[in-house]
Amino acid sequence: MVSLSIMKVIISFIMVMSGLWSFVNYYKHLLNALLSLEFMTLGVFWLMSMQLSAMSGEMYFMLFFLTLAACEGALGLTLLVVAVRSHGNDRFMSFNLLEC
């Protein structure tokens, strides 16, 4: 029987891999890419919180990681709003890098 700690590591690894899989396969819209990145960040956060709580270590690094993940999400949503306002949609094929 698999122990509970190994099961938590496997579940968080599956979360990261499924987020990576959806990032690679559903990259046509910016919102899908952002949701995939957030899901991968959530998997890493969950793995880190399980490992740090098992070691009974400091939780400050985990809170720092959570703060960076929230800032990354806010920056991604800001870029999404700017892209929709300037181009009218969030499809990657409609973005032109030569356009100012």
Side-chain angles (χ1 to χ4, degrees):
M1 183 171 180
V2 179
S3 69
L4 187 61
S5 63
I6 299 296
M7 186 66 98
K8 290 177 184 177
V9 170
I10 291 172
I11 289 173
S12 63
F13 182 73
I14 289 172
M15 286 176 69
V16 171
M17 286 298 124
S18 64
L20 184 66
W21 180 77
S22 71
F23 182 73
V24 169
N25 287 332
Y26 303 112
Y27 62 90
K28 292 181 180 167
H29 292 280
L30 182 60
L31 185 60
N32 287 342
L34 289 174
L35 286 173
S36 304
L37 289 173
E38 286 295 320
F39 193 65
M40 288 185 337
T41 305
L42 183 64
V44 171
F45 174 72
W46 195 41
L47 174 68
M48 191 168 35
S49 66
M50 292 299 129
Q51 293 299 320
L52 286 176
S53 66
M55 293 186 323
S56 67
E58 294 291 329
M59 295 292 172
Y60 294 116
F61 183 71
M62 187 179 67
L63 291 175
F64 179 71
F65 182 78
L66 187 61
T67 304
L68 288 180
C71 291
E72 178 254 335
L75 181 65
L77 287 176
T78 303
L79 289 174
L80 178 69
V81 168
V82 167
V84 167
R85 285 188 180 177
S86 65
H87 296 284
N89 58 14
D90 68 332
R91 289 183 54 90
F92 281 124
M93 292 298 176
S94 68
F95 298 153
N96 188 1
L97 295 178
L98 299 176
E99 193 176 281
C100 292

